[in-house]
Amino acid sequence: MDHQTYKVLNNGVKMPVLGLGVYKSGDDTKQAVLDALEAGYRHIDTAALYKNEMQVGEAIRESGIPREEIFITTKLWNDDMKAGKQYEAFEKSLERLGTDYVDLYLIHWPVSSALESSWKVLEQIYKEGRARAIGVSNCHMEHLMRVLACAHVVPAVNQVECHPYLNQKSLRIFCNNLSIEMEAWSPLGRGNVLEDPVIVQLAQKYEKTPAQIILRWELSQNLIVIPKSVHKERIRENYNVFDFLLEPADEAKIDALNKDLHFGTSPDNFENKQW
Ligand code: NAD
């Protein structure tokens, strides 16, 4: 792996900074993962919720790329946390993926009634060597404080919605101080940031696409990114962001686009949502 394309997590594990997201990729998942691996991706972000762990595993095996060269993240779903079935849920994810370990296992949402008990199970999984790193997702500072108060292992990653309209600056500083890497879900704002006039103008200036400008800005902000696409050309385009940098003044223009705007569910009101 090239230096530019991975981060070293707080436990020494190397995580590629750009992965393929597969939320709602449906029947296209297997081909999308194959296309991504062919394009150079070595990191796939799935979850039990997405119901496509099996296709992710099939694509990885079919690619012929050694398992240890590919970084797989999956996530513990809310219902399994509420039911106290965290360990069983993890084992089912492994079974569907067809692997005996994952690279990163995340608590998908900080379900209040089961946050500490779930973290304990993730620590057990980690100690057993069945997840090379463990972390959380959708955690605000108060959720992280709760996890840290009971933790023997500091989460390696916090995966949250993050893009130019929701730049999460204070959470990023907080995580950075704790050596927790921030990972951006919906890094393209689900496509809603691509037509922003500032982004379009920078795309023209750098002769890149709007998606490439946004991903480049996020990587420069020290974020790990997992853009989703099932289209081969876009999958390639989204990976092709390591050959240029934005000037600081242009990065500042994107910083200024923040509106604290969520396109997905907010950690402030997910508990009653029906998925
Ligand atoms: P995203 O920001 O990656 O946007 C994806 C959409 O952007 C695509 O469906 C497509 O419409 C468009 N797009 C992608 N590449 C493009 C390109 N080059 N040009 C033009 N349009 C393009 O949104 P997402 O899927 O919500 O997030 C990415 C990944 O993050 C998910 O697939 C999933 O793995 C993860 N995620 C995690 C959580 C969580 O709770 N932890 C929540 C949502 C998503």
Side-chain angles (χ1 to χ4, degrees):
M1 265 191 266
D2 172 354
H3 258 80
Q4 192 183 16
T5 61
Y6 69 83
K7 266 182 188 303
V8 180
L9 302 178
N10 61 15
N11 65 351
V13 165
K14 288 177 181 175
M15 177 169 182
V17 293
L18 197 154
L20 180 76
V22 295
Y23 183 38
K24 298 199 172 161
S25 296
D27 291 344
D28 296 324
T29 303
K30 185 174 168 190
Q31 191 55 48
V33 173
L34 281 165
D35 290 342
L37 294 172
E38 190 191 310
Y41 291 66
R42 291 294 181 268
H43 165 188
I44 310 295
D45 183 87
T46 184
L49 174 75
Y50 307 168
K51 304 215 180 314
N52 56 16
E53 290 166 309
M54 210 177 267
Q55 290 94 314
V56 169
E58 278 169 20
I60 288 173
R61 284 188 296 282
E62 208 170 297
S63 75
I65 298 169
R67 165 70 185 90
E68 62 274 16
E69 288 180 22
I70 300 174
F71 192 101
I72 306 176
T73 300
T74 194
K75 313 184 191 88
L76 171 62
W77 185 237
N78 303 355
D79 296 344
D80 295 310
M81 290 174 70
K82 288 179 197 157
K85 299 228 155 109
Q86 295 93 333
Y87 201 88
E88 294 90 322
F90 174 72
E91 292 201 302
K92 282 187 191 155
S93 279
L94 285 188
E95 222 169 273
R96 287 188 292 261
L97 284 160
T99 180
D100 52 9
Y101 71 95
V102 293
D103 296 278
L104 179 63
Y105 196 48
L106 301 178
I107 289 181
H108 206 145
W109 289 88
V111 172
S112 192
S113 59
L115 184 53
E116 286 84 357
S117 56
S118 298
W119 187 250
K120 291 282 143 207
V121 178
L122 262 66
E123 287 185 336
Q124 187 189 340
I125 289 166
Y126 177 64
K127 283 183 188 137
E128 290 169 358
R130 304 179 87 192
R132 294 176 66 232
I134 51 174
V136 292
S137 176
N138 298 303
C139 278
H140 280 167
M141 293 179 208
E142 62 271 23
H143 304 120
L144 283 169
M145 294 302 285
R146 278 182 57 182
V147 172
L148 290 169
C150 75
H152 294 290
V153 179
V154 175
V157 169
N158 183 21
Q159 185 187 111
V160 297
E161 181 177 353
C162 189
H163 44 71
Y165 290 170
L166 177 68
N167 74 20
Q168 302 274 19
K169 206 149 229 178
S170 50
L171 185 60
R172 271 156 50 196
I173 293 167
F174 184 82
C175 286
N176 188 42
N177 287 336
L178 293 163
S179 304
I180 300 172
E181 295 296 341
M182 281 268 293
E183 181 174 11
W185 64 254
S186 292
L188 303 174
R190 301 210 157 139
N192 294 301
V193 188
L194 297 166
E195 286 169 20
D196 184 282
V198 169
I199 302 293
V200 170
Q201 184 255 324
L202 291 174
Q204 285 160 357
K205 173 173 169 178
Y206 288 89
E207 299 183 348
K208 297 286 174 185
T209 67
Q212 289 170 329
I213 295 291
I214 295 169
L215 294 168
R216 184 64 258 166
W217 171 78
E218 285 158 350
L219 293 171
S220 302
Q221 306 290 310
N222 265 326
L223 292 159
I224 297 164
V225 292
I226 42 171
K228 176 238 171 174
S229 179
V230 293
H231 301 291
K232 191 170 184 165
E233 285 317 307
R234 286 178 172 177
I235 289 171
R236 288 183 169 277
E237 173 187 328
N238 294 346
Y239 194 71
N240 199 3
V241 291
F242 295 102
D243 61 346
F244 75 111
L245 288 174
L246 299 170
E247 293 165 19
D250 291 331
E251 285 184 11
K253 284 185 196 163
I254 305 181
D255 290 346
L257 296 179
N258 182 50
K259 319 175 194 199
D260 291 335
L261 180 63
H262 287 264
F263 293 113
T265 304
S266 158
D268 291 331
N269 50 27
F270 73 94
E271 296 260 8
N272 296 320
K273 184 178 155 95
Q274 298 295 315
W275 261 273

